[in-house]
Amino acid sequence: MILADKIIELRKQAGMSQEELAEKMNVSRQSVSKWEGAQSVPDLNRILQLSEIFGVSTDTLLKDELALTTAISDVPDTTEPPLRAVSMEEANAFLHANTKAAFLISLGIACCIASIAPGSILERIERFGDALATIIMFLMIAGGVALLIIGSSFLKAYDYLNHEGIDTAYGVSGMVREKQSARRVQHLAELITGIALCILSFLPAMFTSEVFGDDSFPTAVCGTVMFVLIACGAFLIVRTSIINGGYEKLLEEGGYTRREKEAQNSVAHTIITVYWLVIVAGYLAYSLLTNDWGRSWIVFPVAGILCGALCAILKRSGK
């Protein structure tokens, strides 16, 4: 048995995750992952640390011909609840489902945002314009919500990745990191493009408003284009973020570290859910009563900023 396999076996016997072992040794989780993937070898000082942590001799660790015969009895299992094992097949299945969900969820959000776009032009039709714009808006929102529900259903079986500590099988971390690295340039390109589309979407409407006036047809067309560009930008940002988040879930990095999972609870989740329900209900009520769809959308970016502040407060208070 080689050193990489011995570290994996001893760590599992001790009931530790890669992150917990890394903390005990004051190294990064990536270092432990590389040791277990036989991509690098710990130096002599690290070998001595491993020997002390696992209660085995250095010869047992370093000599391939020596099997692991020492039972781990002096290292308590401090993981509550027990780590969830994730096989290579399960990891690949999750990444495949996550890619599908990313497309459907981002498309659903884009549909909800773009639902406002037809109103800029249709409201110019005197008799049925407002009614037609409202009908199209609710149809697009209904379709967007349906896509969100369908997309989320793909990830329902893997919800434990959001809340439980995991212990990935041999080779999983290396496979995930390789996929993440291969997509890093595309991720950044989609993220930057999405942000740019959202920021630049206002320029055509501002230009036509100055040249032709607020009530002109070109301004109405550019108002429609603005929401379409924002929807496209949101699609790119959400899609690439969900895909990259899938890699972080399996690697337990970013917002999915063990500590982040332990900090989560139903109280904070409930508060955030109620918060967004109130925001959406207020937006629809105000827009329907005033018919001011062209400006009422601003509630969502403002609500997003306030949601970030609310999350920070909840996290700090331990809720």
Side-chain angles (χ1 to χ4, degrees):
M1 182 181 289
I2 64 173
L3 175 61
D5 293 333
K6 289 180 180 180
I7 294 175
I8 294 173
E9 183 63 27
L10 287 167
R11 177 176 61 78
K12 289 183 177 179
Q13 288 183 35
M16 286 189 284
S17 66
Q18 288 184 342
E19 186 179 52
E20 289 168 331
L21 177 58
E23 288 179 358
K24 285 180 177 291
M25 300 189 66
N26 197 27
V27 298
S28 66
R29 184 183 187 278
Q30 289 82 356
S31 295
V32 176
S33 178
K34 287 182 179 180
W35 297 343
E36 296 186 354
Q39 297 174 341
S40 66
V41 178
D43 59 29
L44 181 58
N45 288 331
R46 302 303 183 197
I47 292 292
L48 292 173
Q49 279 185 279
L50 289 169
S51 173
E52 292 177 2
I53 291 172
F54 295 133
V56 297
S57 66
T58 54
D59 283 348
T60 301
L61 291 172
L62 295 174
K63 293 184 179 180
D64 294 348
E65 64 272 14
L66 293 181
L68 294 175
T69 56
T70 305
I72 308 300
S73 58
D74 58 341
V75 182
D77 184 356
T78 58
T79 305
E80 290 291 342
L83 297 179
R84 175 75 172 260
V86 178
S87 65
M88 179 67 76
E89 294 75 13
E90 190 171 6
N92 278 311
F94 163 71
L95 291 177
H96 182 66
N98 192 59
T99 301
K100 285 184 177 180
F103 175 79
L104 293 174
I105 291 173
S106 56
L107 184 60
I109 292 174
C111 283
C112 292
I113 295 173
S115 66
I116 307 170
S120 299
I121 296 178
L122 293 176
E123 67 181 7
R124 303 177 70 84
I125 302 175
E126 292 184 2
R127 292 191 63 185
F128 306 107
D130 289 340
L132 185 58
T134 302
I135 291 172
I136 292 176
M137 181 191 69
F138 279 107
L139 286 175
M140 292 183 69
I141 291 176
V145 172
L147 289 171
L148 288 171
I149 294 173
I150 295 171
S152 299
S153 69
F154 282 103
L155 300 178
K156 188 174 181 181
Y158 306 99
D159 187 58
Y160 64 87
L161 291 173
N162 298 315
H163 310 292
E164 299 180 28
I166 61 172
D167 185 17
T168 53
Y170 178 76
V172 170
S173 295
M175 178 273 292
V176 174
R177 203 167 295 283
E178 183 178 347
K179 288 180 179 291
Q180 185 186 46
S181 178
R183 202 183 181 279
R184 181 167 286 113
V185 174
Q186 182 181 351
H187 171 64
L188 291 175
E190 291 183 5
L191 202 58
I192 293 170
T193 302
I195 294 172
L197 285 174
C198 291
I199 295 174
L200 299 178
S201 62
F202 298 91
L203 295 181
M206 291 174 61
F207 175 78
T208 54
S209 177
E210 289 292 331
V211 175
F212 301 103
D214 293 339
D215 297 327
S216 66
F217 183 73
T219 300
V221 172
C222 287
T224 298
V225 171
M226 178 182 71
F227 287 108
V228 171
L229 291 176
I230 293 174
C232 291
F235 173 85
L236 291 174
I237 293 171
V238 174
R239 177 178 174 273
T240 194
S241 297
I242 292 177
I243 292 175
N244 192 66
Y247 301 137
E248 292 183 342
K249 287 180 182 181
L250 290 174
L251 294 172
E252 291 191 297
E253 295 178 345
Y256 302 97
T257 62
R258 195 69 48 75
R259 286 176 180 157
E260 289 291 333
K261 292 176 182 178
E262 290 174 354
Q264 292 179 3
N265 62 52
S266 58
V267 175
H269 179 75
T270 301
I271 292 174
I272 296 299
T273 301
V274 172
Y275 170 84
W276 280 110
L277 287 174
V278 171
I279 292 296
V280 173
Y283 161 75
L284 291 175
Y286 172 82
S287 300
L288 288 171
L289 290 173
T290 63
N291 201 31
D292 192 13
W293 301 96
R295 287 184 294 181
S296 59
W297 61 271
I298 197 68
V299 68
F300 287 109
V302 174
I305 295 172
L306 294 176
C307 182
L310 178 60
C311 289
I313 293 171
L314 292 173
K315 184 176 180 180
R316 192 175 185 84
S317 64
K319 288 184 177 271

